[in-house]
Each structure stands twice: as C-alpha cells, then as structure tokens.
Amino acid sequence: MTPFERRTRACQERLADAGADAVVLFPSRNLLYLAGFDEEPAERHLFLFVPREGVPVFLVPDLYETQVRAESWVADVETWSDDEDPVAAVRTITSDLSLDGGRLLVDDTMWAQFTQDLSSVLPNADFGLASEVLAPLRAQKDDAELDALRRAGAVADRVVERLREMGDRCLGMTETELAAEIERLLADEGGAGVAFGPIVGSGPNGAMPHHTYGDRIIESGDPVVLDFGTYVDHYPSDQTRTLVFGGDPPADFEEVHDVVQAARTAAFETVEPGVTAGAVDRAAREVIEDAGYGDRFIHRTGHGVGLDVHEEPYIVAGSDRELAVGNVFSIEPGVYLPDRFGVRVEDLVVVTETGAELLNDTDRGWNC
C-alpha cells in the first residue's frame, strides 16, 4: 500500500468519526496528499470523490486521463470531454455514491464555481470543509514526508554554509542580488524552486519581519536576516539565519542575537508529546521578555510546515493544542528594533517519542 493510499484510508476512518459521507477535492495540496496527483487549479472540472466507504473516484477532463492514471494510485477514473457538460458527469457520480442528503466536506480552497456546481446537483446535502478531517492527518507526518523534509532541510543547510563562505563578497550587493544568488544556490544544491520569496533584510530592513528584498546595498557591519527554503519532493525547508558578512555589527547586536538564540533553545527543549503549542511559545517569549525585549517580539514563535509552508499546528501564545509525535513546525523567535536591525533564528523540528528532532542544523552564529 502506498503512503497515499494509507492516507486515504485514514481519511475515510475520520469521515466516519466526523459523521460525514465524503470528501470532495479539486487540484490542491489536499489532492496531492491523498492521491499523489499534483496539478494547478484550472477552469475545467477535476474532482476526487472520497466516500466514507468504498473506493475513491476521480472525475477528470479526458485530456488528463493518461496523466492521472500514471501519477495516482486511484484506479477509478471517470472522464468528460470538452463537448460534454461536466456538471452532468458530477451528477452521475454523486448519484452513484448516494451523496445527496448527506454531509460533504469540500476542499477549503475549492473555487466558488465548483462549489456552486456541487450544491446545484446536491440540493439536499450539508456542506463543510475538508480540513475538518484532513488537517489533523496532515499535521502528523509519515515517514515519506519526514524523509522529504529532512532532505529539503539539508539543501537549505548547504546554502547557508555557502553564503558564509561568500563572506565579505556579499558586501556591495543589493538585497535583490543576494536573493537571486540564494535562489541559484538552492537550485544548485538540488532544491526545486523556492518555497516562498526569500527574505533578505539588511540593516534597518531586517526590523520588518516580512520584508522581502529591495535595492538597499548590504554594507559593512549590517546584520542581514536571511529567511528562505526550497522544495524536495513537494515538501519545503524554511530556515532563518541572521548574518554579518563583514565589519563590526551595532554595539548591542551581539546581545540581541544571544537572547534570540537562547529563546530558540528554550523553545526547542520544551518540545515533547503532550506539551501544548502555547507552552513552547511561552518558553521562547519568557527569555526575550526577561531580557527586556518583550515588546519587540511581535509574532508567534512558529507554524506547522508540510505540503503548505504554513499549516497546523501553530505555535502561538495561549494555544492549548497538545503536540503529537510527527508534528513538524518552525521555532523562529525574533527581536526587531525599528530603524536599526532585526534578529531572527529559525529551525524546523519534528516531535518524537522522546522530545524533538531538528530538521536542519547548520551553524546558528552570526559571523561568517
């Protein structure tokens, strides 16, 4: 049984527990997660019906049939052609599955056009969101997912080391030029594209947590916040280091960097099964508050990472969600001093039976 088939069977078990009759997916991360088929949304009707009992059914445009059969484990593939009405095909499948009058969970990101068509052929059905059953499943990574995440983390690690080797050769580059170099290095080390737009925040730009990059020239002594990742087999890395490529940083930079490092360590050492996400956030936040920078830590401590770079569980203040074996998330405390500099250090971790494992482990220091 493939990992995708095992996940689908687990989804069906959760459908029974949720009192739902089926999940209906369209091109999305959820579809990739269950069926192993990766495609961008488009104007044609392409659905996967996963009933509570029995076999899943694909409905695809006929030009996708060969591709779906080659890439997915799902054997029941129904097609429609461009000279046919796809809604009629939807009506036939939903009737065969006896879904009218039942409870359907549709993909959270399904386009309104398609949800409207579903509701038109199922006027007596009750609709909910697929995340009700899929979010808990996706939050606990299986061995195949963890393998891909480890390899993606290793790519990011190697790129950080290559950036350190560049050292003062980065001085005089613009943030945009360094971001382009990061993208090139990620590909060179085996990554597939970027998981998100790289962040290269130099000097005062580093005090904006979601600054991307711009025309500012990296100068001697600038702290530079570098946040980037890439994909390996559809799974991303997400790592942040704050580096100084040459010269002496601001007088209090080393103190702030030490505080952020200590906060990251405190949060990591808190992680184990049964601990709440809020407790992990609190561990990091207390270190930064005790150092007098509490009002400058202005975001949550972390977020889940999987097929989506941001997904459950969220490591946020007050969360009573208990962590479970297989949860993967970032730990990324930061301190941001407006108009001066920022510091963030980020690692991905997976919850294990005895605590946590780092999915990336390159040097966290600031000097090159």
Side-chain angles (χ1 to χ4, degrees):
M1 186 181 293
T2 68
F4 302 105
E5 187 174 359
R6 283 195 295 271
R7 296 168 196 166
T8 302
R9 302 306 180 214
C11 173
Q12 290 178 303
E13 292 174 5
R14 285 186 174 269
L15 282 172
D17 294 339
D21 296 279
V23 163
V24 186
L25 306 179
F26 94 138
S28 65
R29 298 297 190 187
N30 285 329
L31 181 63
L32 173 60
Y33 180 74
L34 292 188
F37 177 65
D38 187 28
E39 184 58 64
E40 292 297 315
E43 77 278 5
R44 290 183 174 92
H45 292 63
L46 192 160
F47 295 137
L48 176 67
F49 296 86
V50 180
R52 184 168 60 195
E53 298 179 354
V55 298
V57 181
F58 256 121
L59 173 65
V60 304
D62 54 8
L63 73 165
Y64 280 95
E65 180 179 7
T66 300
Q67 183 181 352
V68 169
R69 290 189 184 279
E71 296 180 13
S72 175
W73 70 275
V74 176
D76 192 345
V77 181
E78 307 295 328
T79 65
W80 62 277
S81 62
D82 281 350
D83 61 354
E84 296 175 326
D85 178 10
V87 177
V90 173
R91 181 177 291 108
T92 297
I93 290 176
T94 55
S95 176
D96 290 345
L97 295 174
S98 301
L99 296 182
D100 197 19
R103 183 164 186 259
L104 273 69
L105 305 180
V106 300
D107 211 315
D108 295 43
T109 59
M110 185 179 287
W111 291 359
Q113 169 193 350
F114 301 128
T115 59
Q116 288 288 88
D117 286 344
L118 282 169
S119 94
S120 73
V121 302
L122 299 170
N124 300 309
D126 177 36
F127 289 87
L129 295 178
S131 57
E132 183 178 337
V133 294
L134 288 179
L137 287 176
R138 285 181 52 180
Q140 291 186 259
K141 274 56 182 179
D142 58 30
D143 290 343
E145 294 176 289
L146 290 175
D147 177 65
L149 285 160
R150 289 187 183 101
R151 287 183 285 130
V155 171
D157 277 349
R158 293 194 294 272
V159 171
V160 168
E161 293 308 317
R162 292 182 67 173
L163 291 171
R164 290 183 187 279
E165 291 169 2
M166 289 176 64
D168 59 12
R169 284 180 290 157
C170 294
L171 300 179
M173 297 177 70
T174 66
E175 294 172 341
T176 298
E177 289 170 337
L178 185 53
E181 179 66 6
I182 288 169
E183 292 191 27
R184 186 191 71 80
L185 291 172
L186 288 169
D188 189 53
E189 292 293 341
V194 292
F196 49 90
I199 291 174
V200 180
S202 64
N205 288 343
M208 296 179 282
H210 275 182
H211 172 78
T212 53
Y213 48 81
D215 294 332
R216 187 180 186 281
I217 293 173
I218 298 169
E219 300 175 351
S220 177
D222 276 345
V224 185
V225 177
L226 301 164
D227 187 345
F228 56 83
T230 188
Y231 287 105
V232 171
D233 290 346
H234 301 290
Y235 285 83
S237 46
D238 184 2
Q239 179 178 145
T240 307
R241 298 291 182 262
T242 303
L243 302 182
V244 178
F245 290 107
D248 296 324
D252 50 351
F253 169 76
E254 290 187 57
E255 173 194 335
V256 173
H257 197 280
D258 286 347
V259 168
V260 172
Q261 279 266 51
R264 188 215 66 89
T265 300
F268 175 71
E269 292 177 348
T270 302
V271 176
E272 63 180 11
V275 167
T276 66
V280 177
D281 180 274
R282 173 47 47 192
R285 205 164 297 278
E286 283 181 348
V287 172
I288 293 174
E289 288 173 348
D290 290 347
Y293 296 102
D295 61 340
R296 302 282 36 135
F297 181 13
I298 53 179
H299 55 73
R300 64 194 174 206
T301 293
H303 56 85
V305 175
L307 285 171
D308 287 308
V309 179
H310 286 203
E311 60 181 46
E312 295 184 11
Y314 293 97
I315 311 304
V316 63
S319 172
D320 60 0
R321 179 184 181 128
E322 293 187 0
L323 301 177
V325 173
N327 287 166
V328 173
F329 52 86
S330 66
I331 294 177
E332 49 182 305
V335 169
Y336 308 92
L337 305 182
D339 302 320
R340 299 191 62 220
F341 62 83
V343 175
R344 183 165 67 254
V345 178
E346 175 187 18
D347 292 316
L348 297 188
V349 303
V350 56
V351 182
T352 67
E353 295 282 357
T354 58
E357 172 197 346
L358 287 163
L359 296 181
N360 52 276
D361 198 22
T362 192
D363 188 344
R364 297 174 190 85
W366 58 267
N367 51 321
C368 295

